[in-house]
Amino acid sequence: GSYFCDGVDVSKLDAEELAALRRDKIGFVFQGFHLLPRMNATDNVAMPLGYARVAPAERRQRALAALASVGLAERAGHRPNELSGGQQQRVAIARALVNSPPILLADEPTGALDSKTGEEILALFKRLRDDGHTVILITHDAQVATHADRTFVMHDGRLQAQTEAEAA
């Protein structure tokens, strides 16, 4: 099959065009954070901007703004081992948002967090949704799935069900 992203048939893109699409259109958040331990929060967030050839001064400014947007401005100079799990996940979310992608793809983003911190991350995703981002959250946790506006259930690679949250 094929799919379209922002009107573009993705199946027709070459490797370089696919990389540009991922860089510009999709922010990725993983369960394991994937922060570089030798870099502070600001540098971890700014890293994708280097691939987008953003000037260093602008990289820093945008990284600091992204950290502020997830409530971590005061932790900008801290390395991952100096941050809690929830703070590390918020740094990872800031990194995913630094290029202002319209789509945020989050793969088990609360799986490595305690339940209170997981709820804080889910509340952050709701704010991002309210700000116009499309948040696609992949989870095996039925409780996490209750936070979604729409839920798709997959089984053995096939769509089994789709539900929409009732309007509040």
Short mmCIF file of all heavy atoms in Angstrom, two decimals, residues 45-107:
data_model
loop_
_atom_site.label_atom_id
_atom_site.label_comp_id
_atom_site.label_asym_id
_atom_site.label_seq_id
_atom_site.Cartn_x
_atom_site.Cartn_y
_atom_site.Cartn_z
N VAL A 45 18.36 18.50 23.29
CA VAL A 45 17.20 19.03 22.57
C VAL A 45 17.62 19.67 21.25
O VAL A 45 16.95 19.53 20.24
CB VAL A 45 16.42 20.02 23.45
CG1 VAL A 45 15.33 20.73 22.66
CG2 VAL A 45 15.82 19.30 24.65
N ALA A 46 18.76 20.35 21.25
CA ALA A 46 19.22 21.08 20.06
C ALA A 46 19.76 20.15 18.97
O ALA A 46 19.82 20.55 17.80
CB ALA A 46 20.29 22.08 20.46
N MET A 47 20.13 18.94 19.33
CA MET A 47 20.80 18.04 18.39
C MET A 47 20.08 17.91 17.03
O MET A 47 20.73 18.02 15.99
CB MET A 47 20.99 16.67 19.03
CG MET A 47 21.83 15.74 18.18
SD MET A 47 22.09 14.14 18.93
CE MET A 47 20.46 13.70 19.48
N PRO A 48 18.76 17.68 16.97
CA PRO A 48 18.13 17.54 15.65
C PRO A 48 18.24 18.79 14.78
O PRO A 48 18.19 18.71 13.56
CB PRO A 48 16.65 17.26 15.98
CG PRO A 48 16.64 16.82 17.39
CD PRO A 48 17.82 17.46 18.05
N LEU A 49 18.42 19.93 15.40
CA LEU A 49 18.52 21.17 14.63
C LEU A 49 19.82 21.24 13.83
O LEU A 49 19.88 21.91 12.81
CB LEU A 49 18.40 22.38 15.56
CG LEU A 49 17.05 22.50 16.28
CD1 LEU A 49 17.09 23.60 17.32
CD2 LEU A 49 15.94 22.72 15.28
N GLY A 50 20.83 20.53 14.30
CA GLY A 50 22.08 20.45 13.53
C GLY A 50 21.85 19.76 12.20
O GLY A 50 22.38 20.18 11.17
N TYR A 51 21.03 18.69 12.20
CA TYR A 51 20.71 17.99 10.97
C TYR A 51 19.89 18.87 10.03
O TYR A 51 19.93 18.70 8.81
CB TYR A 51 19.94 16.69 11.26
CG TYR A 51 20.75 15.71 12.06
CD1 TYR A 51 20.40 15.39 13.36
CD2 TYR A 51 21.88 15.10 11.52
CE1 TYR A 51 21.14 14.49 14.11
CE2 TYR A 51 22.63 14.20 12.25
CZ TYR A 51 22.26 13.90 13.55
OH TYR A 51 23.00 13.02 14.27
N ALA A 52 19.16 19.81 10.61
CA ALA A 52 18.35 20.73 9.80
C ALA A 52 19.16 21.96 9.39
O ALA A 52 18.62 22.89 8.79
CB ALA A 52 17.11 21.16 10.58
N ARG A 53 20.45 21.96 9.74
CA ARG A 53 21.39 23.04 9.40
C ARG A 53 20.97 24.40 9.96
O ARG A 53 21.11 25.44 9.32
CB ARG A 53 21.60 23.11 7.89
CG ARG A 53 22.27 21.87 7.33
CD ARG A 53 22.57 22.00 5.84
NE ARG A 53 23.32 20.86 5.36
CZ ARG A 53 22.77 19.77 4.84
NH1 ARG A 53 21.47 19.66 4.75
NH2 ARG A 53 23.53 18.79 4.41
N VAL A 54 20.44 24.37 11.18
CA VAL A 54 20.09 25.60 11.88
C VAL A 54 21.36 26.14 12.53
O VAL A 54 22.16 25.38 13.09
CB VAL A 54 18.99 25.32 12.94
CG1 VAL A 54 18.71 26.54 13.80
CG2 VAL A 54 17.72 24.83 12.26
N ALA A 55 21.55 27.45 12.47
CA ALA A 55 22.74 28.08 13.05
C ALA A 55 22.82 27.81 14.55
O ALA A 55 21.79 27.74 15.23
CB ALA A 55 22.70 29.58 12.79
N PRO A 56 24.04 27.64 15.09
CA PRO A 56 24.21 27.29 16.51
C PRO A 56 23.48 28.21 17.49
O PRO A 56 22.86 27.73 18.44
CB PRO A 56 25.72 27.34 16.71
CG PRO A 56 26.28 26.99 15.37
CD PRO A 56 25.33 27.63 14.38
N ALA A 57 23.51 29.51 17.27
CA ALA A 57 22.84 30.43 18.21
C ALA A 57 21.32 30.20 18.19
O ALA A 57 20.68 30.19 19.25
CB ALA A 57 23.16 31.88 17.86
N GLU A 58 20.76 29.97 17.01
CA GLU A 58 19.33 29.71 16.92
C GLU A 58 18.98 28.35 17.50
O GLU A 58 17.94 28.17 18.13
CB GLU A 58 18.84 29.81 15.48
CG GLU A 58 17.32 29.66 15.37
CD GLU A 58 16.78 29.75 13.96
OE1 GLU A 58 17.50 30.22 13.06
OE2 GLU A 58 15.63 29.34 13.77
N ARG A 59 19.88 27.36 17.33
CA ARG A 59 19.67 26.04 17.92
C ARG A 59 19.48 26.16 19.42
O ARG A 59 18.55 25.61 19.99
CB ARG A 59 20.89 25.14 17.69
CG ARG A 59 20.93 24.46 16.39
CD ARG A 59 22.12 23.52 16.35
NE ARG A 59 22.82 23.76 15.10
CZ ARG A 59 24.02 23.33 14.81
NH1 ARG A 59 24.73 22.67 15.70
NH2 ARG A 59 24.55 23.58 13.65
N ARG A 60 20.40 26.90 20.05
CA ARG A 60 20.34 27.07 21.51
C ARG A 60 19.05 27.78 21.92
O ARG A 60 18.37 27.34 22.85
CB ARG A 60 21.57 27.84 22.00
CG ARG A 60 21.56 28.06 23.48
CD ARG A 60 22.91 28.58 23.99
NE ARG A 60 22.84 28.95 25.37
CZ ARG A 60 22.78 28.11 26.40
NH1 ARG A 60 22.76 26.82 26.17
NH2 ARG A 60 22.71 28.54 27.64
N GLN A 61 18.70 28.83 21.22
CA GLN A 61 17.50 29.59 21.55
C GLN A 61 16.25 28.71 21.42
O GLN A 61 15.39 28.70 22.30
CB GLN A 61 17.40 30.81 20.63
CG GLN A 61 16.18 31.66 20.85
CD GLN A 61 16.10 32.81 19.86
OE1 GLN A 61 16.66 32.76 18.76
NE2 GLN A 61 15.37 33.84 20.22
N ARG A 62 16.16 27.95 20.34
CA ARG A 62 14.99 27.09 20.13
C ARG A 62 14.97 25.95 21.13
O ARG A 62 13.88 25.55 21.61
CB ARG A 62 14.97 26.58 18.69
CG ARG A 62 14.56 27.70 17.72
CD ARG A 62 14.65 27.35 16.27
NE ARG A 62 13.91 26.17 15.87
CZ ARG A 62 13.91 25.68 14.63
NH1 ARG A 62 14.60 26.28 13.67
NH2 ARG A 62 13.22 24.60 14.34
N ALA A 63 16.13 25.41 21.47
CA ALA A 63 16.19 24.33 22.46
C ALA A 63 15.73 24.83 23.83
O ALA A 63 14.96 24.15 24.52
CB ALA A 63 17.60 23.75 22.54
N LEU A 64 16.18 26.01 24.21
CA LEU A 64 15.77 26.57 25.50
C LEU A 64 14.26 26.84 25.52
O LEU A 64 13.59 26.59 26.53
CB LEU A 64 16.55 27.84 25.81
CG LEU A 64 18.04 27.62 26.12
CD1 LEU A 64 18.78 28.96 26.19
CD2 LEU A 64 18.21 26.84 27.42
N ALA A 65 13.72 27.31 24.41
CA ALA A 65 12.27 27.55 24.33
C ALA A 65 11.51 26.22 24.42
O ALA A 65 10.46 26.15 25.09
CB ALA A 65 11.93 28.28 23.03
N ALA A 66 12.01 25.18 23.77
CA ALA A 66 11.35 23.87 23.83
C ALA A 66 11.39 23.31 25.25
O ALA A 66 10.40 22.75 25.73
CB ALA A 66 12.00 22.90 22.84
N LEU A 67 12.52 23.48 25.93
CA LEU A 67 12.61 23.03 27.32
C LEU A 67 11.64 23.80 28.20
O LEU A 67 10.97 23.22 29.06
CB LEU A 67 14.04 23.16 27.85
CG LEU A 67 15.01 22.10 27.35
CD1 LEU A 67 16.45 22.50 27.66
CD2 LEU A 67 14.68 20.74 27.96
N ALA A 68 11.53 25.09 27.98
CA ALA A 68 10.58 25.90 28.75
C ALA A 68 9.15 25.43 28.50
O ALA A 68 8.33 25.38 29.42
CB ALA A 68 10.73 27.38 28.41
N SER A 69 8.85 25.02 27.27
CA SER A 69 7.49 24.60 26.92
C SER A 69 7.08 23.32 27.64
O SER A 69 5.89 23.05 27.78
CB SER A 69 7.33 24.44 25.41
OG SER A 69 7.93 23.24 24.96
N VAL A 70 8.05 22.53 28.09
CA VAL A 70 7.75 21.30 28.83
C VAL A 70 8.07 21.46 30.32
O VAL A 70 8.14 20.48 31.07
CB VAL A 70 8.47 20.06 28.24
CG1 VAL A 70 8.01 19.80 26.81
CG2 VAL A 70 9.98 20.19 28.33
N GLY A 71 8.29 22.71 30.74
CA GLY A 71 8.49 23.00 32.16
C GLY A 71 9.88 22.69 32.69
O GLY A 71 10.05 22.46 33.90
N LEU A 72 10.89 22.71 31.84
CA LEU A 72 12.24 22.36 32.28
C LEU A 72 13.28 23.44 32.05
O LEU A 72 14.48 23.13 31.98
CB LEU A 72 12.70 21.06 31.60
CG LEU A 72 12.10 19.78 32.13
CD1 LEU A 72 12.66 18.58 31.37
CD2 LEU A 72 12.37 19.61 33.62
N ALA A 73 12.88 24.69 31.95
CA ALA A 73 13.84 25.76 31.70
C ALA A 73 14.96 25.76 32.74
O ALA A 73 16.13 25.96 32.40
CB ALA A 73 13.13 27.11 31.67
N GLU A 74 14.60 25.50 33.99
CA GLU A 74 15.60 25.56 35.07
C GLU A 74 16.55 24.37 35.08
O GLU A 74 17.54 24.38 35.80
CB GLU A 74 14.89 25.69 36.42
CG GLU A 74 14.30 24.41 36.97
CD GLU A 74 13.02 23.93 36.29
OE1 GLU A 74 12.44 24.68 35.47
OE2 GLU A 74 12.60 22.79 36.57
N ARG A 75 16.28 23.35 34.27
CA ARG A 75 17.14 22.16 34.23
C ARG A 75 17.94 22.08 32.93
O ARG A 75 18.55 21.06 32.63
CB ARG A 75 16.29 20.90 34.39
CG ARG A 75 15.39 20.86 35.62
CD ARG A 75 16.14 20.80 36.92
NE ARG A 75 16.58 19.43 37.13
CZ ARG A 75 17.32 19.06 38.14
NH1 ARG A 75 17.71 19.92 39.05
NH2 ARG A 75 17.70 17.81 38.28
N ALA A 76 17.98 23.15 32.18
CA ALA A 76 18.61 23.16 30.85
C ALA A 76 20.07 22.73 30.86
O ALA A 76 20.55 22.12 29.91
CB ALA A 76 18.47 24.55 30.22
N GLY A 77 20.80 23.04 31.91
CA GLY A 77 22.22 22.71 31.97
C GLY A 77 22.53 21.36 32.59
O GLY A 77 23.70 20.99 32.71
N HIS A 78 21.52 20.60 32.94
CA HIS A 78 21.73 19.32 33.59
C HIS A 78 21.85 18.19 32.58
O HIS A 78 21.16 18.16 31.56
CB HIS A 78 20.57 19.02 34.56
CG HIS A 78 20.58 19.88 35.76
ND1 HIS A 78 20.17 21.20 35.74
CD2 HIS A 78 20.95 19.63 37.03
CE1 HIS A 78 20.28 21.71 36.95
NE2 HIS A 78 20.76 20.78 37.75
N ARG A 79 22.72 17.23 32.92
CA ARG A 79 22.87 16.03 32.09
C ARG A 79 21.80 15.02 32.48
O ARG A 79 21.23 15.10 33.56
CB ARG A 79 24.26 15.44 32.28
CG ARG A 79 25.32 16.34 31.69
CD ARG A 79 26.67 15.72 31.71
NE ARG A 79 27.60 16.64 31.05
CZ ARG A 79 28.83 16.36 30.82
NH1 ARG A 79 29.33 15.20 31.18
NH2 ARG A 79 29.61 17.23 30.20
N PRO A 80 21.54 14.06 31.60
CA PRO A 80 20.47 13.09 31.87
C PRO A 80 20.57 12.40 33.24
O PRO A 80 19.55 12.22 33.91
CB PRO A 80 20.61 12.08 30.74
CG PRO A 80 21.14 12.90 29.60
CD PRO A 80 22.10 13.87 30.26
N ASN A 81 21.78 12.05 33.69
CA ASN A 81 21.91 11.37 34.98
C ASN A 81 21.60 12.28 36.17
O ASN A 81 21.51 11.81 37.30
CB ASN A 81 23.28 10.72 35.13
CG ASN A 81 24.41 11.73 35.25
OD1 ASN A 81 24.27 12.89 34.87
ND2 ASN A 81 25.54 11.28 35.75
N GLU A 82 21.41 13.56 35.91
CA GLU A 82 21.06 14.52 36.96
C GLU A 82 19.56 14.85 36.94
O GLU A 82 19.11 15.73 37.66
CB GLU A 82 21.86 15.81 36.77
CG GLU A 82 23.36 15.61 36.84
CD GLU A 82 24.16 16.82 36.42
OE1 GLU A 82 23.74 17.54 35.48
OE2 GLU A 82 25.22 17.05 37.04
N LEU A 83 18.82 14.13 36.12
CA LEU A 83 17.39 14.36 35.95
C LEU A 83 16.60 13.12 36.35
O LEU A 83 17.08 12.00 36.18
CB LEU A 83 17.07 14.70 34.48
CG LEU A 83 17.77 15.91 33.88
CD1 LEU A 83 17.54 15.97 32.38
CD2 LEU A 83 17.31 17.19 34.55
N SER A 84 15.38 13.33 36.84
CA SER A 84 14.50 12.20 37.14
C SER A 84 14.02 11.58 35.83
O SER A 84 14.18 12.16 34.75
CB SER A 84 13.30 12.69 37.95
OG SER A 84 12.44 13.46 37.12
N GLY A 85 13.38 10.41 35.92
CA GLY A 85 12.85 9.77 34.73
C GLY A 85 11.83 10.65 34.01
O GLY A 85 11.85 10.75 32.79
N GLY A 86 10.96 11.29 34.77
CA GLY A 86 9.97 12.17 34.16
C GLY A 86 10.60 13.37 33.48
O GLY A 86 10.17 13.81 32.41
N GLN A 87 11.66 13.92 34.12
CA GLN A 87 12.37 15.05 33.51
C GLN A 87 13.08 14.61 32.24
O GLN A 87 13.08 15.33 31.24
CB GLN A 87 13.35 15.65 34.51
CG GLN A 87 12.67 16.38 35.64
CD GLN A 87 13.63 16.77 36.75
OE1 GLN A 87 14.65 16.11 36.99
NE2 GLN A 87 13.31 17.85 37.44
N GLN A 88 13.68 13.41 32.26
CA GLN A 88 14.33 12.90 31.05
C GLN A 88 13.31 12.73 29.92
O GLN A 88 13.60 13.07 28.77
CB GLN A 88 15.02 11.57 31.34
CG GLN A 88 16.25 11.71 32.21
CD GLN A 88 16.90 10.38 32.47
OE1 GLN A 88 17.18 9.63 31.54
NE2 GLN A 88 17.15 10.06 33.74
N GLN A 89 12.12 12.24 30.26
CA GLN A 89 11.10 12.06 29.22
C GLN A 89 10.66 13.42 28.68
O GLN A 89 10.45 13.58 27.49
CB GLN A 89 9.91 11.26 29.75
CG GLN A 89 8.90 10.89 28.67
CD GLN A 89 9.47 9.99 27.58
OE1 GLN A 89 10.36 10.40 26.82
NE2 GLN A 89 8.95 8.79 27.48
N ARG A 90 10.56 14.43 29.54
CA ARG A 90 10.19 15.77 29.06
C ARG A 90 11.29 16.36 28.19
O ARG A 90 11.00 17.06 27.21
CB ARG A 90 9.83 16.68 30.23
CG ARG A 90 8.46 16.30 30.81
CD ARG A 90 7.97 17.32 31.80
NE ARG A 90 8.68 17.16 33.06
CZ ARG A 90 8.77 18.08 34.00
NH1 ARG A 90 8.22 19.27 33.83
NH2 ARG A 90 9.42 17.84 35.11
N VAL A 91 12.55 16.07 28.48
CA VAL A 91 13.64 16.50 27.59
C VAL A 91 13.47 15.82 26.24
O VAL A 91 13.61 16.45 25.19
CB VAL A 91 15.03 16.19 28.20
CG1 VAL A 91 16.15 16.41 27.17
CG2 VAL A 91 15.29 17.03 29.45
N ALA A 92 13.15 14.53 26.26
CA ALA A 92 12.95 13.80 25.00
C ALA A 92 11.77 14.38 24.22
O ALA A 92 11.81 14.47 22.99
CB ALA A 92 12.72 12.31 25.29
N ILE A 93 10.72 14.80 24.92
CA ILE A 93 9.57 15.41 24.25
C ILE A 93 9.98 16.76 23.67
O ILE A 93 9.63 17.09 22.53
CB ILE A 93 8.38 15.53 25.21
CG1 ILE A 93 7.85 14.13 25.56
CG2 ILE A 93 7.27 16.39 24.61
CD1 ILE A 93 6.88 14.10 26.72
N ALA A 94 10.74 17.54 24.43
CA ALA A 94 11.22 18.83 23.92
C ALA A 94 12.06 18.63 22.66
O ALA A 94 11.93 19.37 21.68
CB ALA A 94 12.03 19.56 24.99
N ARG A 95 12.91 17.60 22.66
CA ARG A 95 13.72 17.29 21.48
C ARG A 95 12.82 16.94 20.30
O ARG A 95 13.07 17.37 19.17
CB ARG A 95 14.68 16.14 21.79
CG ARG A 95 15.58 15.77 20.62
CD ARG A 95 16.43 14.56 20.90
NE ARG A 95 15.59 13.45 21.29
CZ ARG A 95 15.99 12.45 22.07
NH1 ARG A 95 17.20 12.41 22.55
NH2 ARG A 95 15.16 11.47 22.38
N ALA A 96 11.77 16.19 20.55
CA ALA A 96 10.84 15.82 19.48
C ALA A 96 10.10 17.03 18.92
O ALA A 96 9.70 17.04 17.76
CB ALA A 96 9.85 14.78 19.98
N LEU A 97 9.94 18.06 19.74
CA LEU A 97 9.17 19.24 19.34
C LEU A 97 10.02 20.37 18.78
O LEU A 97 9.47 21.31 18.21
CB LEU A 97 8.41 19.78 20.55
CG LEU A 97 7.31 18.89 21.10
CD1 LEU A 97 6.79 19.45 22.42
CD2 LEU A 97 6.20 18.75 20.09
N VAL A 98 11.32 20.29 18.92
CA VAL A 98 12.18 21.44 18.61
C VAL A 98 12.11 21.87 17.15
O VAL A 98 12.30 23.04 16.84
CB VAL A 98 13.63 21.19 19.08
CG1 VAL A 98 14.38 20.25 18.13
CG2 VAL A 98 14.38 22.49 19.29
N ASN A 99 11.79 20.97 16.25
CA ASN A 99 11.63 21.32 14.83
C ASN A 99 10.20 21.73 14.49
O ASN A 99 9.86 21.89 13.33
CB ASN A 99 12.03 20.14 13.93
CG ASN A 99 13.51 20.05 13.71
OD1 ASN A 99 14.22 21.04 13.77
ND2 ASN A 99 14.00 18.85 13.47
N SER A 100 9.35 21.84 15.51
CA SER A 100 7.93 22.19 15.34
C SER A 100 7.21 21.26 14.36
O SER A 100 6.52 21.72 13.46
CB SER A 100 7.79 23.64 14.88
OG SER A 100 8.35 24.50 15.82
N PRO A 101 7.35 19.94 14.55
CA PRO A 101 6.66 19.03 13.63
C PRO A 101 5.17 19.01 13.93
O PRO A 101 4.75 19.13 15.09
CB PRO A 101 7.29 17.67 13.96
CG PRO A 101 7.60 17.78 15.43
CD PRO A 101 8.05 19.22 15.61
N PRO A 102 4.36 18.83 12.92
CA PRO A 102 2.92 18.76 13.17
C PRO A 102 2.49 17.44 13.82
O PRO A 102 1.44 17.36 14.43
CB PRO A 102 2.29 18.90 11.78
CG PRO A 102 3.38 18.51 10.83
CD PRO A 102 4.68 18.84 11.50
N ILE A 103 3.31 16.39 13.67
CA ILE A 103 2.97 15.06 14.19
C ILE A 103 3.97 14.67 15.26
O ILE A 103 5.19 14.78 15.07
CB ILE A 103 3.00 14.01 13.06
CG1 ILE A 103 2.02 14.39 11.95
CG2 ILE A 103 2.69 12.61 13.61
CD1 ILE A 103 2.19 13.58 10.68
N LEU A 104 3.46 14.18 16.38
CA LEU A 104 4.29 13.66 17.46
C LEU A 104 3.96 12.18 17.61
O LEU A 104 2.80 11.82 17.88
CB LEU A 104 4.02 14.42 18.75
CG LEU A 104 4.91 14.10 19.93
CD1 LEU A 104 6.37 14.48 19.61
CD2 LEU A 104 4.45 14.85 21.15
N LEU A 105 4.94 11.33 17.40
CA LEU A 105 4.77 9.88 17.49
C LEU A 105 5.43 9.42 18.79
O LEU A 105 6.65 9.54 18.94
CB LEU A 105 5.39 9.20 16.28
CG LEU A 105 5.25 7.69 16.17
CD1 LEU A 105 3.79 7.29 16.08
CD2 LEU A 105 6.01 7.20 14.95
N ALA A 106 4.63 8.92 19.72
CA ALA A 106 5.14 8.54 21.04
C ALA A 106 4.94 7.05 21.25
O ALA A 106 3.81 6.56 21.33
CB ALA A 106 4.41 9.34 22.12
N ASP A 107 6.04 6.32 21.34
CA ASP A 107 6.02 4.87 21.50
C ASP A 107 6.22 4.51 22.96
O ASP A 107 7.33 4.65 23.49
CB ASP A 107 7.10 4.25 20.62
CG ASP A 107 7.08 2.73 20.65
OD1 ASP A 107 6.10 2.15 21.15
OD2 ASP A 107 8.05 2.13 20.18
#
